[in-house]
Amino acid sequence: MIVPLRAASTPSCGSKAGALGALLRAGLPVPDGPAVPLDVYTSAVRGLHPGTLARREGPAAARAAILGRPVPAGLREALAAALEALGGGPVAVRSSASDEDARDGAAAGQYTSVLAVHGVDEVVEAVRTCWASLYADTAAAYRRDRGRDAHPAMGVVVQRHLDAEVSGVMFTPAAPDAPTLVEASWGLGPSVVEGTVNPDAYTVGADGSVVTVVADKRTRLDRRGARLVTRDVRAPDRDRRVIDDADARRLAELGQRVAAALDGPQDVEWAIADGRTWILQARPITAALPHRTAPSPTPAPAPAPGATVLTGAPGSRGTATGLARVVRGPADFGRVEPGDILVCPWTDPGWTPLLRIAGGVVTEVGGVLSHAAIVARERGIPAVLGVPDATLLLADATPVTVDGTAGVVTTTVD
């Protein structure tokens, strides 16, 4: 009914569980726990045909049908025994879909994970929530756009919840002489992966050198009892680096071990809790990061008179020109036309459908390793991230040019 995460494989439990199982077997620090195999989901939806239901009545109907199904007999008891073996305390319940974390598309952030889950009844409901997220509107659109399997299955990973002091994302090198890229911020990882904070950026060279860009980190996510709470970062910590050079080097070394165990460059989510570094997830890197262009021997041309030039982090390479469309939330989604430049405070996985039609993306906060930036790179959409006050400085419907390779946004103001 369930298997130890250490024994999980991709064919039986989905890509996320398979990768974490391989890392545990390789001796890497991964929070342990059980995995719910794909065939348990298949048994739960037998006769329901959620893929067909989603096509006929829409993804919401498929989600409701899955959530309304009882879990297979014996699953609750098996999970209760596994939770007791973990010693009690909160757990993280994470999706592990059959089409997730693949080399030809990460589905980054498209499926649901639930943190700070207490007790077997809440775990069972979180498992059902992960199953239903197979038919989240954004996930269904992502599969359709990429020609993916319309009938995927969902495994689930249940792990001890870590109350991280620091967390982030790391991209391991694509070549022996390439650097490791690390983004980090205070608190739990969703702040970084969902792009709701400007993280510190660390570039760790193959020679062990570390280049650091410290960000203004305004908020953090933490567990308080059974809830996740977003709170302000204390003023002295906002512009204080969250890891030192030695930590950055240790992360890079850990990333090399992850890449070796999984046979290729990896996008790694990590956390530091109680002084120990943990690996929470690893997936293949699906699209190359942009690199800042080398300085030209001749000065770059000055902007045209009246032009406004804003700079940020280069998140997805390429250049696009279109009308700025300021979007502050889902209520504004209907205003975005094909080719518009999406200008927003940040993007999260729920905004993925906009990336199907937008010509480019500009955000006020968020790192280049966040889920939205990954999807932008997969779609080949230029993106510039972390541009302060972009939604105020770029007027709606103003022509804008986005250079996602250089991290520059240019607009002409009348």
Side-chain angles (χ1 to χ4, degrees), residues 187-198:
L188 299 177
S191 294
V192 178
V193 299
E194 293 178 5
T196 59
V197 67
N198 285 328

Side-chain angles (χ1 to χ4, degrees), residues 14-365:
S15 299
K16 185 181 298 180
L20 292 175
L23 294 181
L24 276 169
R25 294 189 292 274
L28 283 139
V30 173
D32 208 352
V36 182
L38 300 170
D39 61 9
V40 177
Y41 164 82
T42 302
S43 174
V45 301
R46 184 168 290 123
L48 186 61
H49 307 296
T52 301
L53 187 61
R55 286 196 304 274
R56 290 178 178 172
E57 301 183 28
R63 295 195 298 273
I66 293 170
L67 290 171
R69 279 292 181 95
V71 299
L75 178 60
R76 185 186 186 282
E77 291 73 15
L79 287 170
L83 293 176
E84 184 177 0
L86 286 177
V91 295
V93 181
R94 305 181 189 276
S95 67
S96 181
S98 58
D99 67 344
E100 190 173 4
D101 297 350
R103 294 186 184 278
D104 63 345
Q110 302 306 305
Y111 301 123
T112 294
S113 292
V114 187
L115 304 183
V117 183
H118 292 258
V120 66
D121 291 333
E122 287 189 13
V123 170
V124 168
E125 289 309 307
V127 167
R128 254 201 290 250
T129 297
C130 289
W131 288 347
S133 71
L134 272 176
Y135 293 95
D137 293 348
T138 56
Y142 183 90
R143 286 196 298 272
R144 189 165 56 247
D145 289 347
R146 301 192 69 82
R148 292 286 190 84
D149 180 11
H151 303 283
M154 178 66 79
V156 179
V157 176
V158 180
Q159 298 172 284
R160 188 188 311 279
H161 173 94
L162 299 178
D163 287 323
E165 294 97 24
V166 175
S167 56
V169 182
M170 154 174 61
F171 272 31
T172 68
D177 59 346
T180 298
L181 305 179
V182 178
E183 291 186 341
S185 193
W186 305 113
L188 299 177
S191 294
V192 178
V193 299
E194 293 178 5
T196 59
V197 67
N198 285 328
D200 290 352
Y202 303 83
T203 303
V204 184
D207 61 355
S209 61
V210 180
V211 177
T212 303
V213 178
V214 179
D216 182 18
K217 302 166 289 293
R218 295 298 184 93
T219 62
R220 59 181 291 162
L221 183 70
D222 295 285
R223 181 178 69 89
R224 289 291 178 266
R227 298 186 304 121
L228 298 180
V229 177
T230 299
R231 57 193 179 97
D232 292 339
V233 173
R234 295 186 319 116
D237 293 334
R238 289 180 179 177
D239 58 359
R240 180 166 70 88
R241 58 187 297 179
V242 298
I243 59 174
D244 60 22
D245 285 0
D247 291 328
R249 292 189 191 98
R250 279 192 289 269
L251 278 165
E253 292 168 1
L254 194 58
Q256 291 176 355
R257 294 175 59 196
V258 171
L262 298 179
D263 194 28
Q266 298 291 307
D267 166 1
V268 181
E269 294 180 22
W270 55 270
I272 299 176
D274 296 325
R276 186 177 180 187
T277 303
W278 298 87
I279 301 301
L280 304 181
Q281 180 172 326
R283 59 163 70 94
I285 295 174
T286 56
L289 283 162
H291 298 285
R292 291 188 185 274
T293 55
S296 171
T298 58
T308 298
V309 180
L310 307 177
T311 60
S316 180
R317 68 183 65 194
T319 302
T321 298
L323 297 181
R325 193 62 62 197
V326 177
V327 175
R328 293 188 169 86
D332 296 327
F333 284 8
R335 300 174 50 246
V336 181
E337 299 290 338
D340 283 352
I341 304 300
L342 181 63
V343 181
C344 50
W346 62 79
T347 66
D348 64 33
W351 295 39
T352 299
L354 295 184
L355 302 184
R356 299 168 59 196
I357 62 173
V361 181
V362 180
T363 71
E364 293 181 325
V365 298

